[in-house]
């Protein structure tokens, strides 16, 4: 199961988060753990260069995408190899939505579309769609939630 997907800015502020099967009381722990992990390891990392960690019998794959950091946490069948596919799908879709590598500002400008896209990729903790064209088509069918 994919337990969490988080996007954070360079200061460690969470921009988007999705949790699946993680109790509310544990979410704060995961937020702070992932932000600390990124602060310690993502400096100087190239865009989309994947880093892997494990914590409490779960796997974490994370990277930098322009001005944001992306974290994906999984367990069971979602080991580091499966999570690499998940994060690749997510980063490709975000780049498509933004038209290029996102800065924090561009990411926030496209927030609604990114959330819709993320919801089409991951459904109830499982990778649902990986085909770019299908994801774009499904997102176009839904009304935008941008502010």
């Amino acid at each position: 199961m994919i337990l969490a997907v988080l996007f954070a800015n360079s200061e460690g502020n969470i921009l988007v988060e999705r949790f699946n099967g993680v109790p509310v009381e544990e979410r704060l722990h995961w937020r702070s753990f992932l932000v600390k992990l990124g602060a310690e390891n993502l400096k100087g990392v190239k865009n989309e260069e994947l880093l892997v960690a494990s914590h409490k019998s779960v796997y974490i794959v994370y990277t930098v995408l322009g001005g944001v950091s992306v974290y994906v946490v999984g367990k069971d069948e979602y080991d580091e190899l499966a999570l690499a596919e998940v994060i690749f799908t997510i980063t490709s879709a975000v780049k498509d939505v933004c038209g290029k590598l996102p800065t924090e500002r561009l990411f926030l400008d496209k927030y609604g579309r990114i959330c819709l896209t993320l919801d089409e990729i991951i459904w109830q903790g499982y990778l649902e769609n990986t085909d770019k064209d299908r994801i774009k088509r499904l997102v176009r069918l839904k009304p935008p939630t941008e502010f």
Side-chain angles (χ1 to χ4, degrees):
M1 172 177 265
I2 300 168
L3 298 174
V5 176
L6 280 89
F7 288 86
N9 65 10
S10 57
E11 288 82 37
N13 299 313
I14 305 298
L15 303 175
V16 173
E17 65 181 25
R18 294 287 191 274
F19 287 100
N20 301 292
V22 177
V24 174
E25 58 273 8
E26 289 183 24
R27 293 178 184 184
L28 179 59
H29 163 75
W30 279 107
R31 284 182 201 110
S32 57
F33 175 78
L34 293 172
V35 167
K36 184 179 178 194
L37 183 69
E40 293 172 357
N41 298 310
L42 288 175
K43 289 189 181 9
V45 171
K46 296 177 186 172
N47 278 310
E48 300 181 73
E49 180 180 346
L50 299 182
L51 300 176
V52 178
S54 62
H55 178 69
K56 292 187 176 182
S57 73
V58 299
Y59 299 98
I60 303 157
V61 176
Y62 57 112
T63 191
V64 172
L65 183 67
V68 298
S69 304
V70 185
Y71 305 87
V72 182
V73 181
K75 69 175 185 175
D76 300 331
E77 69 273 19
Y78 285 97
D79 61 7
E80 61 267 54
L81 293 175
L83 290 178
E85 180 182 352
V86 172
I87 204 166
F88 173 76
T89 303
I90 291 169
T91 56
S92 294
V94 169
K95 286 190 299 187
D96 285 349
V97 168
C98 293
K100 59 183 177 178
L101 288 173
T103 61
E104 180 183 354
R105 175 69 184 177
L106 180 57
F107 186 92
L108 292 173
D109 286 345
K110 301 292 184 175
Y111 179 83
R113 288 278 179 209
I114 290 170
C115 289
L116 283 173
T117 301
L118 191 57
D119 291 343
E120 290 302 331
I121 295 170
I122 297 172
W123 187 73
Q124 294 186 350
Y126 295 95
L127 183 62
E128 183 73 16
N129 289 307
T130 58
D131 180 49
K132 281 182 169 185
D133 293 331
R134 178 173 168 77
I135 294 166
K136 286 179 188 176
R137 199 170 46 252
L138 290 169
V139 168
R140 267 188 255 131
L141 295 175
K142 297 181 178 183
T145 59
E146 296 179 30
F147 302 114

